[in-house]
Every structure is written in C-alpha cells, then in structure tokens.
Amino acid sequence: MKFFIKIMASVMVCVMPFSAAAQMITEQNAAPVKKQVELTADVVVCGGGLAGVCAAVSAARHGAKVILVQDRPVLGGNASSEMRMGIVGAKTDELQETGILEEMQLRNFYYNPLQRYTMWDDAIYSTVVTEPNIKLLLNTSVNDVVMDGERIAAVKAWNTNAYTEYRINGTIFADCTGDGILRLSGAKFRRGRELPTEFNETYLQEGGDSKTMGNSILLQLRKTDVDVPFKAPEWAYHFTDDDFNYDTPKSTIPGVKFNYKRIYHPHDNNFWWCEFGGNFDTIANANDIQFELKRIVYGIWEYMKNHPDGRGKGYELDWIGSLPGKRENVRFVGPHILTQHDVLSGGRFPDVVAYGGWTLDDHHPDAFHKKGRISVEYDVPQGFGIPFGVLYSVNVPNLMFAGRDISATHMGLSATRVMATCALLGQAAGTGAAVAIEKGIMPAEVHAKHIAQVQAMLEDDDCLLPYRWRKVSELTASATMSKDIEILRNGIDRTWEKKDNGVWVAPGEESIVYQWKKPVTISGARLIFDSQLKVRSKRMRKLEATTERVKMPDVMAKKFRIEAFDGKEWKCVFEEKDKDNYLRLRKVSFAPVKATKLRVVVTETWGAEKAHIFAFDAL
Ligand SMILES: Cc1cc2nc3c(=O)[nH]c(=O)nc-3n(C[C@H](O)[C@H](O)[C@H](O)COP(=O)(O)OP(=O)(O)OC[C@H]3O[C@@H](n4cnc5c(N)ncnc54)[C@H](O)[C@@H]3O)c2cc1C
C-alpha cells in the first residue's frame, strides 16, 4: 500500500532558503505561481458530501490509504453550512441510520450543543482529520482523469486556495461528487427520466427526456419581537397572491402525497420548494440557476414577511444560501440499476449493503414555476435493501460511486437520494473499496466472491443490513451468562418491532458479566450503547437559529470500564475515565488477557438512572 507525496522537480526550486525570506519577492526571484504536486493513495474519493466522507472514513478504517478531494472549504455537501439541508432517511424510529453517520451526529451533539451549522461542518471535519489514513484536500476540484487502458490511473485536480495542480494516482476511485465528474473516464451513465416502458416504472408520469429534479437555495430564519418589513434586492422577484392562485387538491390515493409550494407560514417550512433548474442541465447551467434561485428565494421571503395577513410576523431572515444544492444530475451505470420496483418490493437482495426508507419522491422539473403540484411522494417499504451492484461501474473496473450518482433510474434515485441513505451507501462503498485493496482485486470480484465479508464488516461497524442480523463474536457466543442478559447475543443492536433488545445497568451497582469454563484470551470489546435513535434533532433539521441546547442521549454510558477476572481477582483492562464517552459504537482494544470472566461496568450515564446497552462482545 502506497501513500506518499512526491513534489515534482519543478517545485523543488520553490522551497526558498530562509535567508531569502527577508527579501522582497518580485517576478525575478519568485517561486512558480502554480505548484504541481503528485500524490498516490489506495483509494481516491472525489467529493466530500456525506457519501464521500463515509466512503473515505470506512475505507481508511479498514486499512486503505485514502485521499479525499473536496471542492468546497467544508465537508458535508448538501448537509453542510453552505447548503443547510437537514438529513433524512428511513422514516421509522427503529430504522434510523447508524454507522459513521450516527457517530458524526453524536460528535456534533457533544461539541455543538447549540447546533450551529458551521460547527456541524467541523464535527464532520473532525471525523476525517482524526483518521491517520486519510489525506484531505479541501478547496480542490477534480477536473480531469488519466486513463491506463480501461482503468483510471489518476485524477487531476486544482486547488483554488493554494494555486496547486494535483495529479492523484490511485488503485480504486470513488466518485461521490453527486455530479459524476469521473464520467471523464468514459464510464457509462444516464441523465434524465427513463421512459415508463423501459423498466415498467408506473409512477413515472412523464419520461424519455433529459429532465431532472432541480436545485434549491435555502434560507434560515430567526425568531424576533421586532417586526420590520423586509426589503428584497431590486433584482429579486416580487410575488403577489395572484402568483399562487391555483388549486391545491390533496391526494385521495392511499400512500400517495402531493406537495405544493408552502407559502402560508414560515414555521416548520424548510423552503425546499424554492427549486429551479430541472429543465436544464443542472451542472452546465449551475450559475444561471443560482441567480434565478436567489431571485426566487428573496422574493418568497419578501412576500411572506410583508404579507398583510401577518404570516411572517415574529420571524426575520437570518441567513440565505448562495450555493444551490443539487438534487440530481447524472447516475452512473453499474451491474444493477435500482428501479422503482426494487424499492417497492423491499429490495431483498442477497448482496444487500445498505437500505433506504424515504418515499419515492419525484419532483417536477418545472419546480417553482409550476402552478400546482410540484412533487409527488409514494410510500415505500421501510428499510428497503440496496445491493452492492449499484456502487461500481459496469465498464470502468476501478470506478466506484456512492450518493446521488449511484446506478439507479430517475424513479429509483428519487427514494435513495436522501442524505442518511447516501451516508450508508458511502460507508458500503468505502468498505468494499478497502476489501478490494486488501485482496488486490477490483470491485466486481469483491462483489462476486467477498460480499459476505463486506456485509459482516458493515454490521460490525454498526450498519444495519435489512433481513438479517449481525453475528456476535465467537467468544460472546461461547460465554455463559445469566438469562436476563442473553438478549445481548441476538445481534440486534437496537429496539426492533418494539422489543427492547438491550440490558439496563445501574451505574456502579450492576454490571454485565460473561463467563467461560476455561480461561480464554481476550484483547478487546465491542459495545453498542443506546444513543436513542428516535431523537431527530441529531439530524440538524433546524430551520431557525435558537439558543436551546441539545442534550446527550441520557441512557448512554458517559464513563465505563471493562474488567477481566484472571481466576483470582478482577483487573481493569480498559477505562473511559478522563474523557466522556459520547459514541454509540465503541470498539476498544487492550493488551491480551487470559480470563475466565469479563464484565462491563458503567460508572456514569448522561443523566438517566440506568444505562441501556444493546451489545457487549468480547473480542
Ligand atoms: C434543496 C434540496 C433539498 C433536499 N432535501 C433533503 C432533505 O430534506 N433531506 C435529505 O436527507 N436530503 C435532501 N436532499 C437530497 C440530498 O441533499 C442529496 O441527494 C445528497 O446531499 C447527496 O449526497 P452526496 O454526498 O451524494 O452529494 P452532495 O451532498 O451533493 O456532496 C457532493 C460533494 O462533492 C463536491 N464535488 C462536486 N464536484 C466535485 C469535484 N469535481 N471535485 C471535488 N468535489 C466535488 C460537492 O461540492 C459536494 O460538496 C435535498 C437536496 C436538495 C438539493
């Protein structure tokens, strides 16, 4: 595995001797204006939205050297402070997505209790910069590929901050840009809506065109006591009631919802419907779309805030975005193309690596300028499975992808595009990429021969896979334990179908004890604490800046220790004493011990009388 920085010969001269630093620099003695840097990694992840971050982190944690290239100054993509879209995914409490996403959300709760968006960016950033196997390039836009036959040998990128041209060599490339820049490799892709006849997708009312869902710019509000009319810039649209004078019938079809522009009240209104651009190429026309969206968003806020019926009273505009969030552009083609039917039938794939639960939520390309219904949502089975085959290219062997550019039809994508699902897809792609690197093979071979390993790794990393449960460790399976804690061996690390699946322990008084007939060697433990998946405020769905602080899930362990019994006495092998535990999944390792018993002792919770634990595996 290689991971090195090669500064090209032309750049060496730019390292100025210290004595020269005092001199004034002119064109005579200046270093080249642009640097050229060559880097090499096992896995090159392009795009640092939630899919790209989860792909990079999972590949790195499984041993691959990773370079993550993100064209913005922050990570998070549409979830970042630049866009401020709240994360959604599956709709039920029990199916809330875990893995790296939940880890970042809990980190955010701990370090950013006021839930300020820019600090949420840094909770994501912390997750990346603390990974020794990741080199992060922010402000760096991938703009070319170098091919070696049918494989990608390198990507080229430009750092706008550091005036640096990169050539980044890699073994596996993951396109998590949403916009599919690595199409430059000649990878097969689609943009637009399939004809309903192609996959028999009955929910596609129209199709056979290049139209997509549009982009949006969001706004954020603040509650106020002072009511001053809002002045929009003169180039903004100025709306009146006549602009919204059309029928808005509710759907009478069970499981189907119609959405309209929500112009009536700012409360609980995330303005996603200020959407435009679906009739154009949302990449080629991105700048013109940005201007149109600014005109719409300022105009909408002026209309609401100054409306004579007082609907905007008590609110003030706190922030308006500049970067239009993109919902859809291209979708790569993999060995499997996920369709409406895959989603509706629950996705019972043997190679399942992720799941969704958001509705088939198709926005009309006319978007804001459409009079009437602008999106239709169709109910889907909660926890529909998504297979590995949507995550790698059918014709470029070392190209993977995750996020909103996966292999899906327009209708299929309408359900998988939400960010919690994209995060799971990213984690699955990164894990698959790491297995490919470890074995020196390509993603297609991982798919054919090693998918069971990828699935087990994902489950071990706290990702739920539908229609199956995690296998507990051999030591856990062979231990003797009291009946009341047997449940910790069922591999279900969450409340499921209302069944608790966990064990409650009072701090300092009770512990979870495993016992073996003969001494066993133990060198670690895997724990799942209950981070209260139903708490949706983890998802940064705040429409207004408040001074209300969020609280850590109170039943989680804040401090705990693990003790081993060597036949004579209990010895502490791991203790979380000086630091707070704020995570749901903890994998701890310690010097191997021979023991006949192992126990976890919670010494403090985040407020509740008892801690709630879903899993405790001896390793
Ligand atoms: C207005 C709007 C409302 C939405 N509503 C919701 C919602 O309520 N909840 C929800 O969960 N989802 C929502 N979605 C969908 C969701 O935001 C996206 O589908 C999701 O962000 C896709 O994740 P991603 O990581 O694939 O892409 P992105 O979040 O788009 O991240 C991709 C990143 O790659 C970067 N990038 C692009 N090109 C390059 C390049 N050449 N080089 C380097 N970096 C590059 C981009 O700057 C970006 O940061 C909404 C989307 C929009 C636009």
Side-chain angles (χ1 to χ4, degrees), residues 126-328:
S126 297
T127 312
V128 170
V129 295
T130 49
E131 273 315 317
N133 275 351
I134 301 183
K135 179 170 180 58
L136 172 64
L137 301 177
L138 290 176
N139 303 301
T140 305
S141 185
V142 174
N143 57 13
D144 208 353
V145 292
V146 181
M147 298 300 288
D148 175 10
E150 55 182 4
R151 291 188 189 183
I152 303 173
V155 294
K156 291 190 171 177
W158 168 244
N159 183 312
T160 44
N161 252 7
Y163 281 7
T164 300
E165 284 172 346
Y166 288 103
R167 176 191 160 117
I168 309 168
N169 307 309
T171 306
I172 302 279
F173 293 82
D175 189 323
C176 301
T177 63
D179 294 348
I181 184 72
L182 298 188
R183 276 176 289 156
L184 290 166
S185 64
K188 293 190 176 173
F189 71 93
R190 295 173 163 226
R191 176 160 70 83
R193 303 183 292 184
E194 283 75 14
L195 274 171
T197 46
E198 185 176 357
F199 294 95
N200 194 23
E201 290 180 307
T202 46
Y203 290 173
L204 260 172
Q205 299 299 309
E206 300 159 73
D209 56 33
S210 62
K211 297 178 180 183
T212 60
M213 292 180 260
N215 300 354
S216 295
I217 278 178
L218 296 185
L219 48 78
Q220 211 174 1
L221 307 174
R222 185 184 289 272
K223 283 215 167 99
T224 178
D225 297 332
V226 189
D227 267 304
V228 180
F230 179 73
K231 291 193 195 74
E234 65 239 23
W235 43 264
Y237 286 121
H238 302 285
F239 298 111
T240 66
D241 288 346
D242 287 345
D243 292 302
F244 307 109
N245 191 9
Y246 43 77
D247 289 342
T248 56
K250 279 202 166 131
S251 161
T252 51
I253 313 160
V256 180
K257 188 177 157 201
F258 298 159
N259 290 309
Y260 302 90
K261 281 162 261 185
R262 300 192 201 152
I263 48 162
Y264 301 103
H265 200 285
H267 176 69
D268 210 17
N269 185 347
N270 78 359
F271 298 91
W272 58 267
W273 44 270
C274 292
E275 174 177 349
F276 177 75
N279 290 318
F280 310 99
D281 178 341
T282 51
I283 297 173
N285 300 289
N287 284 347
D288 294 335
I289 292 173
Q290 179 178 7
F291 182 57
E292 180 71 1
L293 282 170
K294 280 263 180 183
R295 301 179 76 190
I296 291 172
V297 176
Y298 270 124
I300 276 293
W301 181 244
E302 178 195 61
Y303 168 79
M304 266 191 202
K305 176 66 194 168
N306 303 344
H307 200 281
D309 69 6
R311 67 186 70 173
K313 202 167 169 343
Y315 290 91
E316 207 140 29
L317 185 61
D318 203 43
W319 173 87
I320 175 167
S322 286
L323 186 69
K326 295 195 192 105
R327 283 184 182 80
E328 182 182 3

Side-chain angles (χ1 to χ4, degrees), residues 47-52 69-72 76-78 83 85-88 140-142 176-179 181 216 218 270 272 325-327 402-404 417-420 422 541:
L50 290 187
V69 193
Q70 161 71 339
D71 63 358
R72 310 298 310 170
N78 286 342
M83 180 58 205
M85 186 38 77
I87 300 163
V88 297
T140 305
S141 185
V142 174
C176 301
T177 63
D179 294 348
I181 184 72
S216 295
L218 296 185
N270 78 359
W272 58 267
K326 295 195 192 105
R327 283 184 182 80
R404 61 186 167 81
R417 67 196 168 88
V418 287
M419 290 184 281
C422 288
R541 290 190 67 76

Side-chain angles (χ1 to χ4, degrees), residues 2 19 42 52 65 87 127 200 231-232 239 287 339 344 352 402 406 416 419 427-428 554 558 610:
K2 290 171 285 172
S19 57
D42 297 320
K65 300 291 182 189
I87 300 163
T127 312
N200 194 23
K231 291 193 195 74
F239 298 111
N287 284 347
T339 66
L344 291 178
V352 66
I406 60 162
T416 63
M419 290 184 281
Q427 187 156 354
D554 63 352
K558 187 175 181 183
K610 291 194 174 194

Side-chain angles (χ1 to χ4, degrees), residues 387-452:
F388 191 73
V390 305
L391 298 179
Y392 68 95
S393 169
V394 77
N395 67 319
V396 176
N398 62 343
L399 173 62
M400 299 190 77
F401 24 80
R404 61 186 167 81
D405 58 12
I406 60 162
S407 176
T409 61
H410 167 84
M411 268 326 282
L413 179 81
S414 76
T416 63
R417 67 196 168 88
V418 287
M419 290 184 281
T421 311
C422 288
L424 295 183
L425 290 167
Q427 187 156 354
T431 305
V435 171
I437 295 297
E438 178 213 293
K439 300 194 183 303
I441 56 177
M442 289 292 113
E445 205 176 334
V446 172
H447 193 188
K449 298 186 185 153
H450 304 286
I451 199 66

